[in-house]
Amino acid sequence: MSGWDLEVLAASLRADSGDLSMYAGFLINTLSASLPAEMVEVERKRGLFGRAKEDSPVLSVGVLFGDHRYTLRREGVGKPVVAQIRHESGGVVMRTETVGMDVWSSQLASALAEYAKSHAAAAQALQKLTSPEMP
């Protein structure tokens, strides 16, 4: 991979994943600023009337690369995080695989690095994800 150490990137993606709100916020801010909006999906806790505010706790965050969606999800605030990789085709989920954070972060790192080869903004996201200032 040109210029990016996948192990460092995967380790950066695993960091702080236990606190989904903080971690998802970091992923959302970094990736949504660098990737097209349709690639980043965020689900927030909904309030009394089914509305989610911008500052509502994050329940899941997903990133779509090609036909694979990399998702971190929890059932509620304080619940454990579940890492999943979904294979989608034409908007239809063909397969969902629940994996460990090591597998999830490694595969997301590979997908992000591949995408960054032809997209400068994604390359900037890689730089942020591997910088020492990361939360």
Side-chain angles (χ1 to χ4, degrees):
M1 178 178 72
S2 66
W4 301 110
D5 184 338
L6 284 179
E7 289 182 24
V8 171
L9 179 56
S12 297
L13 289 169
R14 281 192 301 273
D16 298 315
S17 60
D19 182 346
L20 185 60
S21 287
M22 185 176 88
Y23 184 62
F26 177 72
L27 277 180
I28 292 162
N29 291 336
T30 302
L31 297 178
S32 63
S34 308
L35 301 173
E38 63 271 9
M39 291 179 69
V40 181
E41 175 183 87
V42 179
E43 179 186 341
R44 294 182 180 276
K45 183 176 179 180
R46 299 199 176 274
L48 182 62
F49 298 107
R51 300 178 92 176
K53 296 179 183 176
E54 194 66 29
D55 61 347
S56 295
V58 173
L59 296 179
S60 74
V61 61
V63 182
L64 180 66
F65 287 103
D67 59 357
H68 288 88
R69 184 176 304 275
Y70 302 87
T71 305
L72 292 179
R73 176 177 308 284
R74 64 181 175 181
E75 293 301 314
V77 177
K79 301 287 184 181
V81 174
V82 176
Q84 295 182 321
I85 302 172
R86 295 189 327 213
H87 179 253
E88 301 178 356
S89 179
V92 176
V93 177
M94 307 302 284
R95 181 184 70 226
T96 300
E97 183 179 6
T98 300
V99 297
M101 278 302 298
D102 55 339
V103 172
W104 183 89
S105 58
S106 177
Q107 290 191 22
L108 176 60
S110 293
L112 184 56
E114 186 63 32
Y115 185 80
K117 287 180 184 177
S118 58
H119 297 83
Q124 291 174 340
L126 283 174
Q127 185 64 41
K128 288 181 183 177
L129 287 169
T130 57
S131 72
E133 293 83 34
M134 194 184 117

